[in-house]
Structures are given as C-alpha cells and as structure tokens.
Amino acid sequence: MDTSTVADGSSFLSLFAALSYGIASMTMVFINKAIIMQYAHSMTLLTLQQLATTLLIHFGRQMGYTRAKGVDITTARRLLPISLFYNANVAFALASLKGVNIPMYIAIKRLTPLAVLIAGFFSGKGKPTTQVTLSVVLTAVGVIVAAIGDFSFDLPGYTMALTSVFFQTMYLVLVEKSGAEEGLSSIEIMFYNSFLSLPFLLFLIIATGEFPNSLALLLAKSNSFSFLFILLLSLVMGIALNYTMFLCTIVNSALTTTIVGVLKGVGSTTLGFVLLGGVQVHGLNVTGLVINTAGGVWYSYAKYQQKKIKAPKVVMDLEAHRR
C-alpha cells in the first residue's frame, strides 16, 4: 500500500477524531448545564449515562454491530484506575456547574493543559518549550483575573471545577497509555470504563442518600416532555462524548485532546454569556476571560508548530532507514 495513502487516511482519522470530540464536548457543556438546572442530582445523572453506555455497547456486540471483545478480568483490573478517575472528573464537573457559570467553568477547565504538562514532565516526557510554558502561564493568569471579577464567585463550585481538572488529567494520561499498551479500541475502553463505573456510582448515590430522592424527582418530572427530551439528549451525548474523547486520545494523544478542549472553549465561552443565564458581566471578568482564551489559542498554536517541526524529522529518519 502506498505510504502517502496510509498517511492521508491517518491524518483524516486524526482530524475527524479531534473535530468530533470538540463538537461533542462543547454541546455537552450546555446540555449538562440545562439539565442540572432542572435536575440537581448529578451522581444519578452520571449513573444513568454510564448504564446507557454499557447496555448500548453490550447489545451492539450481541447483535454484531461492534467487534468489541467481552469482559476480561485482567484487562478490567488494569483499567479500573481510568474508570475511577473518569467518574471523579465528571462528578466534580457536574457538581461545579451548580455554582459556576459556563464561561468561568470553561476558563477553569483550560488549566488542564497545565496539569497534563506537569504530569508529563514528572513522567519523563521532558521540559516543554518556552512558548508552551508562557501560553499556559497566560491561561492561568486569565483564570485568576476572571475569578477576581466574577460577581457570582462560588468557592465550592471553583474548588470542584479545579478538582475536576486534576482527575481529567489523570484519566487522559492513563487512557493514552492504555490504548497504546493494551491494544484496545476506543469502544472497548469506553465499555470497560462504563461497566466498571456502575458499582462505584451505585454505592455513591446510596451512601450519600441521593438515590431515593433522585428517583422520586425523576418519576415526578416524567410527565414533562421538555425534561425527558433534555434527559434523553444528555444520555445520547454522554455516549457520544465518551466515544469521541477516547478515540481522540488514542488516535492522537492526551495533549491533543486537551488542545481541542481549549479551542472549543472559545465558542462555548461566547455562547455561555448569552445562553442559559447566570452570568453577570464585569469588566475585570471579561478581561480575564479574554486573557484566558488568548492563552489557550496561543498554547494550541505552539503545540501545532511543535508538531510541524517534529514531522519532517520523522520523515528524514524514515528515509535514512530505507537507505
């Protein structure tokens, strides 16, 4: 097979994975905010999303729509940390949306590249370039400035969002390693993640006392078509987000996934000011968000330039090897 054809196919898959994840991620922020405004039981919502994902993949495998393998105990044991970190990330992110408006939530989540770079440095990936370092610092400065000017500042909400950044970093790094080392597809990792999440989530919603109240509220709201529509949309988009996130991380890298997250945040921040409400505009807050967005775009550009420099080197190495 022609190497250029393989390269084109690989590039298309990488681009498709990144774009799909960006669209699904941006859409999911607004859907989650919309449903949390009507249904505050975030852990029950996450449990329903994971249950829907598990059943969909299971029946898809039974009917021959996917070639995902069955449950393997050894693999499940190795992927258990991914599941724990993933659910901790989503749980804290959903909880933070109760008190943090969408523009500030996205600004805080833009700190994920900083956390990924730090994790990569300590895991032996080396020191980042000057441009990458400065852009990440600018992003962090923007969060601080925006927080100072945030009239609706909510300390528990900010704390939960920052905790979510930590857990997101951990599971992205682990997913990247697992996909490469275990030879698992994105659907297989998604299935293990959802399947392993259920016992953990069921224990949490019962231990916290959320379960009886959340079920009663769910039944009470079942007569509302608008609520059922948003709930169904949340379940479907939850599956789509999981799939595209794992696909993007495996096909590209954990860092690419965070870059896509930063770029989609530009559109989400703008829409967040006009949709769903909860945003009190202040000059300092807007300035901080602009700084944060500029840092995010600069960071993405710096990583793109870094990748362009590395690509010719790989080609030269291949040519030298052929000779």
Side-chain angles (χ1 to χ4, degrees), residues 93-114:
L94 285 172
S96 71
L97 282 170
K98 297 175 185 177
V100 179
N101 60 62
I102 285 180
M104 278 310 305
Y105 168 80
I106 293 167
I108 294 169
K109 293 293 277 185
R110 283 201 191 105
L111 294 175
T112 304
L114 171 62

Side-chain angles (χ1 to χ4, degrees), residues 176-203:
E176 183 181 359
K177 290 183 64 178
S178 298
E181 295 175 3
E182 304 289 341
L184 297 171
S185 68
S186 54
I187 291 180
E188 286 170 334
I189 292 182
M190 185 168 70
F191 174 74
Y192 276 105
N193 177 63
S194 302
F195 177 73
L196 294 172
S197 298
L198 291 176
F200 173 68
L201 290 172
L202 287 172
F203 170 77

